[in-house]
C-alpha cells in the first residue's frame, strides 16, 4: 500500500496579509506649487496629496520633512468649501440675502449680528453668546430670543429641541424683525459655513489636528490645508493659490506570505501518472477552487519540482533519498 502513496510539494505564494493599520508612506516635495498643481503632481507620481489618519502618521510626516530643515507650512490633502448656509438648510428665495458689515464675514465660521447696526459678521463658533431661534416655519418665521449664552453649535441644538431652528433671515424686513426681539448686543443666528473639510483622496478619516478656529475666508469659495511644521504640524487653511512645498503619500504593498506544503496523495490502483502536466494542472485547479470556497483570495499555487524534474515520488523512494542525503552529510 505504501508504494501507492505519493508525495508532492506545492508552493503557495501571493498570500497577502491585509491590515487596516498599514501606514501611509510620505514623500516630501520641496518644489513650491499651488495646491492644485501639488495635487496633480502627487496623483501622477505617487497616490495623492497627504492624507493623515492618526497621530502616528502625523509624526511620520513631520519626520519625513524634518531632514530638509523646513520650518514653515507644507500642503497636505485637506480642502474646504467656503459655503455660507442656513442652519435649517433653507435654499429658497432670499437664501442668499446677506447684511455683512464692512470687512466681514472675516475669518470665522458662524454668523453673529450687531444689534446696534443690525449688520452681521462672522465669529468663532466656540464662543458663548445669546441667540435667536425661529419658532415658526420657513415661510412664516417667528423669532424668539434666548438669553442663555452658548456656543453656536449648542445654540443650534437648543433651538432645534425647543423651537424649530436658529433664525434664518431672508430680507431687510426679517432682519429688522430679528433685531426687534434681540436684547443682547451680539446674538447668534442661523448662518454658518459648512463645517466639513475634505481630503483630496476622498478619505473619510476623522483624525483632526487643527491649529485654531479661524479661516482665510474673504471672497474665496474654497481654501486648502497646510501642516504648520513650526507648530507641531498643526493644520490650518491657506489660499489655494499660495505656492508651497508639499507632501504626497503612497500606500506600501501588504506583505506577501509564501508557504511550502507537502501533499500526500493516495493513488490506489489507478494507473494515472500524477507527474503528467495535465494531471498536475487539474489538481491545482481543484485546489484553487477549494481555496476560493474558503474565501482565501489572492493565492497563487504552483508545483515545486525536484532535481529530477518530477513533483510526485513514491513515499518509499522519497524516504530512501532522504536517508542517502543524511548519510552524505
Amino acid at each position: 500500500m505504501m508504494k501507492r502513496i505519493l508525495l508532492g510539494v506545492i508552493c503557495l505564494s501571493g498570500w497577502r496579509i491585509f491590515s487596516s493599520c498599514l501606514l501611509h508612506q510620505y514623500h516630501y516635495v520641496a518644489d513650491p506649487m499651488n495646491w492644485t498643481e501639488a495635487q496633480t503632481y502627487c496623483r501622477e507620481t505617487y497616490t495623492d496629496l497627504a492624507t493623515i489618519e492618526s497621530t502616528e502618521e502625523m509624526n511620520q510626516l513631520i519626520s519625513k520633512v524634518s531632514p530638509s530643515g523646513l520650518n514653515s507650512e507644507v500642503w497636505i490633502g485637506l480642502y474646504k468649501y467656503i459655503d455660507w448656509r442656513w442652519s435649517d438648510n433653507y435654499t429658497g428665495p432670499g437664501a442668499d440675502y446677506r447684511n455683512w458689515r464692512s470687512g466681514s464675514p472675516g475669518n470665522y465660521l458662524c454668523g453673529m449680528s450687531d444689534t446696534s447696526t443690525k449688520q452681521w459678521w462672522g465669529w468663532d463658533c466656540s464662543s458663548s453668546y445669546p441667540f435667536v431661534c425661529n419658532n415658526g416655519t420657513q415661510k412664516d418665521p417667528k423669532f424668539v430670543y434666548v438669553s442663555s449664552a452658548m456656543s453656536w453649535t449648542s445654540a443650534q441644538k437648543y433651538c432645534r429641541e425647543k423651537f424649530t431652528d436658529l433664525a434664518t433671515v431672508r430680507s431687510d424686513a426679517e432682519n429688522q424683525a430679528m433685531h426687534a426681539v434681540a436684547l443682547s448686543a451680539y446674538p447668534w443666528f442661523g448662518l454658518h459655513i459648512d463645517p466639513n473639510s475634505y481630503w483630496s483622496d476622498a478619505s473619510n478619516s476623522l483624525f483632526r489636528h487643527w491649529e485654531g478656529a479661524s479661516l482665510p475666508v474673504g471672497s474665496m469659495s474654497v481654501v486648502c490645508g497646510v501642516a504648520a511644521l513650526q507648530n507641531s504640524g498643526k493644520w490650518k487653511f491657506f489660499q489655494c493659490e499660495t505656492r508651497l512645498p508639499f507632501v504626497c503619500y503612497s500606500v506600501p504593498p501588504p506583505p506577501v506570505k509564501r508557504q511550502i506544503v507537502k501533499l500526500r496523495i493516495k493513488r490506489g490502483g489507478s494507473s494515472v501518472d500524477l507527474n503528467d502536466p495535465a494531471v498536475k494542472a487539474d489538481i491545482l485547479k481543484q485546489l484553487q477552487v477549494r481555496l476560493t470556497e474558503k474565501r482565501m483570495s489572492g493565492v497563487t499555487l504552483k508545483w515545486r519540482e525536484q532535481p529530477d524534474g518530477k513533483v510526485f515520488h513514491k513515499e518509499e523512494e522519497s524516504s530512501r533519498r532522504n536517508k542517502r542525503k543524511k548519510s552524505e552529510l
Side-chain angles (χ1 to χ4, degrees):
M1 181 68 69
M2 288 297 292
K3 291 183 178 180
R4 296 174 183 170
I5 298 177
L6 286 81
L7 292 177
V9 178
I10 190 170
C11 297
L12 290 74
S13 64
W15 196 351
R16 296 189 180 274
I17 306 170
F18 291 96
S19 171
S20 60
C21 298
L22 288 174
L23 295 177
H24 294 112
Q25 289 183 343
Y26 295 113
H27 310 273
Y28 171 61
V29 181
D31 186 17
M33 300 184 189
N34 65 41
W35 191 91
T36 303
E37 292 169 344
Q39 180 192 53
T40 299
Y41 179 92
C42 290
R43 288 178 172 179
E44 291 177 349
T45 310
Y46 299 104
T47 300
D48 212 320
L49 271 168
T51 293
I52 304 156
E53 299 187 342
S54 66
T55 300
E56 186 178 6
E57 286 194 342
M58 190 67 247
N59 292 337
Q60 183 187 354
L61 183 149
I62 293 171
S63 298
K64 177 61 68 172
V65 181
S66 292
S68 70
L70 183 71
N71 193 34
S72 57
E73 292 82 11
V74 291
W75 289 128
I76 57 176
L78 274 176
Y79 65 98
K80 182 181 187 68
Y81 294 112
I82 305 302
D83 180 18
W84 286 96
R85 57 180 63 182
W86 295 103
S87 176
D88 63 0
N89 296 315
Y90 178 76
T91 57
D96 57 352
Y97 172 79
R98 302 289 185 268
N99 193 42
W100 298 119
R101 71 170 187 173
S102 177
S104 284
N107 296 338
Y108 295 98
L109 307 182
C110 294
M112 170 185 288
S113 189
D114 182 345
T115 54
S116 63
T117 64
K118 298 181 177 58
Q119 292 182 314
W120 308 346
W121 50 15
W123 201 246
D124 179 0
C125 305
S126 63
S127 300
S128 294
Y129 288 93
F131 48 97
V132 179
C133 303
N134 175 20
N135 195 33
T137 64
Q138 287 185 337
K139 291 185 176 180
D140 183 22
K142 290 180 172 53
F143 298 123
V144 177
Y145 173 73
V146 179
S147 60
S148 301
M150 300 183 189
S151 68
W152 189 95
T153 303
S154 296
Q156 180 191 54
K157 181 180 178 182
Y158 183 94
C159 288
R160 288 177 173 179
E161 289 177 349
K162 304 294 185 181
F163 304 104
T164 303
D165 210 318
L166 278 165
T168 293
V169 181
R170 302 166 297 179
S171 64
D172 285 339
E174 289 185 358
N175 191 42
Q176 293 288 340
M178 178 180 72
H179 287 95
V181 302
L183 301 179
S184 69
Y186 306 110
W188 292 125
F189 62 107
L191 197 62
H192 71 129
I193 286 178
D194 175 10
N196 296 312
S197 302
Y198 304 92
W199 291 101
S200 177
D201 66 352
S203 165
N204 59 358
S205 171
L206 299 178
F207 177 69
R208 295 292 180 264
H209 195 58
W210 295 113
E211 180 180 88
S214 66
L215 275 175
V217 178
S219 60
M220 290 175 287
S221 59
V222 64
V223 289
C224 298
V226 299
L229 301 176
Q230 71 274 30
N231 188 19
S232 304
K234 291 292 183 68
W235 306 343
K236 56 185 178 180
F237 287 107
F238 272 20
Q239 294 184 13
C240 300
E241 291 305 310
T242 308
R243 303 189 72 81
L244 294 171
F246 54 97
V247 180
C248 308
Y249 86 89
S250 60
V251 178
V256 175
K257 182 177 180 180
R258 289 181 173 84
Q259 185 173 347
I260 296 175
V261 178
K262 286 186 177 181
L263 192 66
R264 186 181 267 112
I265 296 180
K266 190 173 182 180
R267 193 173 61 173
S270 172
S271 60
V272 173
D273 180 5
L274 295 180
N275 286 301
D276 183 301
V279 175
K280 290 188 295 182
D282 186 60
I283 294 173
L284 283 185
K285 183 177 179 180
Q286 293 183 46
L287 290 172
Q288 196 79 55
V289 170
R290 292 295 301 275
L291 289 174
T292 302
E293 291 173 350
K294 297 291 184 181
R295 297 186 179 179
M296 294 178 64
S297 60
V299 180
T300 301
L301 301 176
K302 65 178 181 180
W303 295 115
R304 182 177 182 182
E305 295 183 348
Q306 299 301 317
D308 61 2
K310 294 182 178 181
V311 170
F312 287 97
H313 295 85
K314 292 180 180 179
E315 190 169 43
E316 62 179 20
E317 291 178 0
S318 180
S319 298
R320 284 199 301 269
R321 191 163 48 251
N322 289 336
K323 288 179 181 179
R324 283 198 301 270
K325 286 182 179 179
K326 289 180 181 179
S327 64
E328 292 169 358
L329 294 176

